[in-house]
Amino acid sequence: MAYSPLTILLIEDNPGDARLIREMLAEATAPDQAPSFRLIHADRLAAGLTLLAQGTARAVLLDLSLPDSQGLDTFLRVRAAAPEMPVVVLTGLGDEATALKAIQTGAQDYLVKGQVDGNVLGQAVRYAIERQGLSRALRKSEEQYRLIVETAQEGIWQIDADSQTTFVNRRMADMLGYTVDEMTGAFLFDFMDEEGWQIAAAHVERRRQGIAEQHDFKFRRKDGADLWAMLSTNPLLGDDGRYLGALAMVANITERKQAEAARARRERELATLYATSLELNSQSDLVLLLPTIVQRAAELAGATMGGLYLLRDDGQSLELVVSHNLPQNYVGAVLQLGEGLSGRIAQTGEPLTIEDYDRWPGRSTVYAGSSFHRVLGVPLKVQNRVIGVLNVTDDRRTGAFDQDQIRFVHLFADQAAIAIENARLYEQVQRHAADLEARVAERTAELRIANERLIGLERLKSQFITNASHELRTPVTNIKTSLYLLERGKPEKREKYMTTLNNETELLQSLLDDLLDAASLDFGRTQPALAPVDLGLLLARLVETRVALVAERNLRLDLVADPATPLMLADAMMLRQAIKALLLDIADHEATGSRIVLYAQPFTAAGRAWGALTAGGDAPAPTPEEQARLFALASAEEKTQGSRLADTNLRLAVCREIIARHGGYMAVQPRAGRSSIVTLWLPAAA
């Protein structure tokens, strides 16, 4: 196996001393062996620190008197650069005091120049390296021990022969609510009540006898609370067997003890409640059930009287429905939420106990003629919803009910609330069964009416198709006639025939567009993209684009827009399509010289704001009363109408469907020989 010599860094400014040390290290190796040391040399501290940073040196031979550093500061700078590096100080006869200070601050050894040979120097270097390694291991071991003790999840507690605390870790102090300093020096018996003194004294005596054991013990915390702990204790004995103290590992088991006590208490409560709940749930008659609930609650609390309130249908008041041994018959008494004890409980949903009701300032005037002392009231809840209040009371004893009584009554109230709700549900089922036959008959009648309505809608659909076919046939016939005349008619009338042909073609195109719009809407392919829309602005722009078209027919188009009209929630493109169809329909039914008027107005109905549009030939401005009447008719019609395309007028059908898909309504007022007056309502944007 290859052997690597130890690299030693020599920091020495005297060339002669450096050469001598190199020779002495060479002497420290037997002639037939490989060199034990490899020396690297620096004549200044700065150069030495540079070599030291390379990490190859195993030890440093350091002269304290250098050109760039003098005395103890030389060693301190080396130690700061490499805290774990073993350092042997080289000194002259007059510098031994400084060398001793260096050893006190961490140097491993010092050698006086001229008083050492190769073997001494070699041993000093080897011992320095070994001692530094042992010191490093010891520090690491101490740090690990300290870490284990201070981070342990268990408390560690040591006492001396007089039961005085000599050591606790932080975990132990935290358990009892003290600091480590507060516990150190205190007696073991300072951390328990009088009952614990005798128990602890017996345990200490067993430690004196050399007995180790594990046991549970109750300590008293600094804040007065109990701390239950499991102790694993061992005696500390001297070499002569003399008792020196004890050491304990302490685990906090307070939660476990509390859980055990709660479980035992819960088992007792459940046994009692189980027997009572069997009796309650076997009773489905609410009249018989309620008195049983009050009687059992009074027995559980050791009280003589009680009452039961149920929340009335208004949700704001309680009515006493059961009176058990009360001095007067208070059945039927009503308390508002927040009034008296029961009213407060119903309002807060929390139990309430009064030690002397006669002296309580919050008592209700309903019971002014009777005397009550201690009272306990608890809410009756179903799925966190208060349905009533159960209270028990005494006319002889004052003072508080104990916690077990309060808990028993509270748990019982939960069972009672479920029993009451079950009884109510049973009564509802009975009533429901009685009503079921009538409801079936009513539903059958509704289905019959719906069937008749479907038949009527089918008839309207057929009529719609017939009318649409008729409207299509007219321009087609005219187109055929115009084509015939173009071919065989008088040449001087060709321009007239072409004009007729163009007009009829445009009419046919318009009818086809309307049919496509209707088909698209009927099959639900077009859904509005809703956004706030200014109705007045939309109408103004639409009027601008339609003035020329209307003028061709010798008609006039006017807009009357109320500035208070709210923004409407609508798809601007679809809304424009609906109004265009409406204007075309009105124009087709108006005589030459007529005036088409558009009114934009605000409107309020059904608890919300709307934007209203009224259009028609020479239509008068609608009054608020007329608007309300038409809106009521339109909304009622919408709820019963199966298809908005049931209108036989194609353009009005398209318009109605678009408005309905916006959540709005449409009313049509037919007029003989003229266009209908149409009113549209769209919901206002929020």
Side-chain angles (χ1 to χ4, degrees):
M1 177 173 136
Y3 177 78
S4 299
L6 298 173
T7 300
I8 308 300
L9 171 62
L10 171 64
I11 306 177
E12 170 64 66
D13 64 320
N14 189 314
D17 288 345
R19 184 172 57 255
L20 180 61
I21 290 171
R22 186 182 298 275
E23 292 174 354
M24 284 192 293
L25 288 177
E27 292 175 2
T29 304
D32 57 344
Q33 294 180 352
S36 298
F37 303 99
R38 182 175 74 88
L39 191 70
I40 55 177
H41 174 229
D43 61 356
R44 296 290 188 274
L45 179 61
L49 294 178
T50 300
L51 292 174
L52 188 61
Q54 296 176 1
T56 58
R58 295 288 305 280
V60 176
L61 294 173
L62 178 65
D63 183 6
L64 296 180
S65 298
L66 297 170
D68 56 348
S69 183
Q70 297 290 321
L72 184 62
D73 184 60
T74 304
F75 167 74
L76 294 177
R77 292 174 64 184
V78 171
R79 182 174 177 82
E84 298 296 329
M85 180 65 66
V87 179
V88 177
V89 173
L90 300 175
T91 182
L93 288 173
D95 293 334
E96 291 189 56
T98 303
L100 286 173
K101 289 181 180 179
I103 289 178
Q104 292 170 357
T105 54
Q108 289 297 327
D109 203 350
Y110 80 93
L111 298 175
V112 179
K113 295 179 181 179
Q115 295 184 1
V116 294
D117 56 21
N119 290 331
V120 172
L121 180 59
Q123 287 180 351
V125 170
R126 290 189 183 93
Y127 290 165
I129 293 173
E130 185 175 353
R131 283 195 299 271
Q132 185 70 22
L134 292 174
S135 176
R136 186 185 303 114
L138 179 60
R139 285 198 304 273
K140 185 176 181 181
S141 176
E142 289 176 347
E143 290 172 358
Q144 289 177 339
Y145 172 76
R146 187 177 301 108
L147 180 64
I148 291 171
V149 170
E150 292 302 328
T151 61
Q153 293 301 309
E154 293 182 320
I156 301 175
W157 195 342
Q158 182 177 334
I159 60 173
D160 61 16
D162 296 325
S163 298
Q164 194 170 7
T165 302
T166 57
F167 174 80
V168 290
N169 66 348
R170 186 180 303 168
R171 174 62 176 161
M172 186 69 252
D174 290 344
M175 284 186 196
L176 290 170
Y178 293 91
T179 64
V180 172
D181 291 341
E182 287 175 329
M183 289 191 66
T184 302
F187 286 97
L188 173 67
F189 301 99
D190 293 340
F191 304 98
M192 60 194 70
D193 55 22
E194 294 183 5
E195 180 184 358
W197 292 350
Q198 296 181 353
I199 300 173
H203 284 300
V204 170
E205 183 58 34
R206 291 172 64 80
R207 300 299 87 72
R208 291 181 182 278
Q209 297 172 15
I211 300 173
E213 63 182 351
Q214 187 180 85
H215 61 89
D216 296 347
F217 191 81
K218 184 179 72 173
F219 290 100
R220 178 62 55 83
R221 285 174 44 86
K222 184 177 181 179
D223 59 9
D226 291 336
L227 171 75
W228 275 99
M230 182 175 67
L231 284 72
S232 298
T233 57
N234 290 278
L236 300 177
L237 304 177
D239 294 338
D240 56 358
R242 184 169 54 89
Y243 174 70
L244 301 178
L247 178 67
M249 304 296 292
V250 184
N252 186 349
I253 60 170
T254 303
E255 290 186 0
R256 191 193 78 188
K257 286 287 187 179
Q258 291 173 343
E260 290 173 353
R263 183 178 62 189
R265 183 174 61 250
R266 184 66 174 170
E267 288 174 353
R268 294 193 302 271
E269 293 172 352
L270 289 176
T272 302
L273 288 173
Y274 178 71
T276 305
S277 64
L278 286 178
E279 182 178 0
L280 293 182
N281 289 308
S282 64
Q283 180 60 261
S284 59
D285 188 336
L286 198 60
V287 175
L288 299 176
L289 175 64
L290 297 180
T292 302
I293 290 174
V294 181
Q295 181 180 350
R296 293 290 184 270
E299 292 172 357
L300 286 171
T304 57
M305 298 180 291
L308 190 147
Y309 292 85
L310 291 180
L311 194 66
R312 303 175 80 191
D313 292 340
D314 62 7
Q316 299 298 316
S317 59
L318 298 166
E319 181 179 351
L320 184 69
V321 295
V322 174
S323 170
H324 175 64
N325 289 339
L326 294 180
Q328 297 183 35
N329 184 13
Y330 289 104
V331 172
V334 175
L335 297 177
Q336 300 301 314
L337 292 187
E339 179 184 358
L341 178 133
S342 297
R344 291 193 182 188
I345 294 170
Q347 187 177 56
T348 64
E350 298 296 332
L352 181 61
T353 180
I354 303 298
E355 296 186 6
D356 191 348
Y357 190 82
D358 284 350
R359 298 177 180 273
W360 185 49
R363 65 177 296 166
S364 171
T365 56
V366 172
Y367 300 105
S370 300
S371 177
F372 303 105
H373 294 302
R374 63 173 187 164
V375 182
L376 166 63
V378 294
L380 298 172
K381 291 184 179 181
V382 175
Q383 296 181 345
N384 209 34
R385 174 175 54 88
V386 176
I387 65 169
V389 174
L390 174 64
N391 61 51
V392 293
T393 183
D394 253 320
D395 59 351
R396 294 188 296 270
R397 296 176 56 186
T398 59
F401 290 90
D402 63 42
Q403 291 301 312
D404 284 338
Q405 290 173 328
I406 295 174
R407 186 167 48 254
F408 268 121
V409 174
H410 202 176
L411 291 172
F412 175 74
D414 292 339
Q415 294 291 325
I418 294 173
I420 292 172
E421 192 70 6
N422 289 341
R424 283 177 166 177
L425 290 174
Y426 178 78
E427 290 184 352
Q428 290 175 7
V429 168
Q430 295 299 311
R431 288 195 299 270
H432 178 73
D435 295 340
L436 186 57
E437 185 175 351
R439 292 180 61 188
V440 169
E442 180 182 351
R443 182 58 178 160
T444 301
E446 291 174 355
L447 290 173
R448 184 168 54 253
I449 294 171
N451 186 51
E452 293 173 354
R453 182 163 146 267
L454 287 174
I455 294 173
L457 290 175
E458 186 65 27
R459 186 166 53 251
L460 286 173
K461 181 178 180 182
S462 298
Q463 185 178 355
F464 171 81
I465 293 173
T466 300
N467 290 349
S469 300
H470 175 73
E471 289 190 31
L472 286 171
R473 190 177 296 113
T474 299
V476 169
T477 301
N478 292 337
I479 288 172
K480 287 182 177 180
T481 302
S482 297
L483 289 173
Y484 176 82
L485 292 174
L486 278 173
E487 182 180 356
R488 301 184 182 183
K490 296 178 180 180
E492 62 271 17
K493 293 187 176 182
R494 285 181 66 86
E495 184 176 352
K496 178 182 178 182
Y497 300 151
M498 285 298 298
T499 301
T500 302
L501 184 62
N502 286 332
N503 291 339
E504 295 301 324
T505 302
E506 289 178 1
L507 176 59
L508 180 61
Q509 180 65 49
S510 177
L511 287 171
L512 290 174
D513 289 343
D514 291 343
L515 283 172
L516 289 174
D517 288 342
S520 173
L521 292 170
D522 195 32
F523 287 104
R525 290 194 295 268
T526 305
Q527 295 298 329
L530 300 180
V533 173
D534 187 329
L535 179 61
L537 181 61
L538 184 145
L539 290 174
R541 292 175 177 174
L542 193 59
V543 167
E544 289 177 3
T545 62
R546 292 288 149 177
V547 167
L549 180 62
V550 172
E552 289 179 0
R553 305 188 185 190
N554 198 20
L555 298 173
R556 197 170 85 229
L557 182 60
D558 292 335
L559 169 63
V560 181
D562 189 331
T565 304
L567 294 177
M568 297 186 302
L569 200 59
D571 183 318
M573 185 177 295
M574 291 183 69
L575 183 58
R576 193 178 295 110
Q577 177 187 355
I579 298 174
K580 284 180 181 178
L582 177 60
L583 288 176
L584 286 174
D585 185 76
I586 294 173
D588 286 349
H589 291 84
E590 284 297 321
T592 299
S594 296
R595 172 174 173 257
I596 301 175
V597 189
L598 301 175
Y599 296 97
Q601 297 173 306
F603 181 66
T604 302
R608 64 183 302 180
W610 302 77
L613 167 63
T614 300
D618 297 316
T623 65
E625 294 77 16
E626 182 68 6
Q627 284 265 27
R629 184 185 69 80
L630 291 174
F631 183 88
L633 292 174
S635 58
E637 179 184 358
E638 178 65 23
K639 294 175 182 177
T640 59
Q641 188 169 347
S643 171
R644 288 104 188 183
L645 297 183
D647 294 272
T648 56
N649 183 312
L650 184 57
R651 287 169 178 153
L652 292 185
V654 171
C655 185
R656 184 187 296 276
E657 180 67 14
I658 291 174
I659 297 305
R661 292 196 180 181
H662 284 75
Y665 302 108
M666 172 173 161
V668 179
Q669 302 175 75
R671 295 185 296 178
R674 299 203 67 176
S675 65
S676 299
I677 296 178
V678 179
T679 303
L680 313 176
W681 295 273
L682 287 174

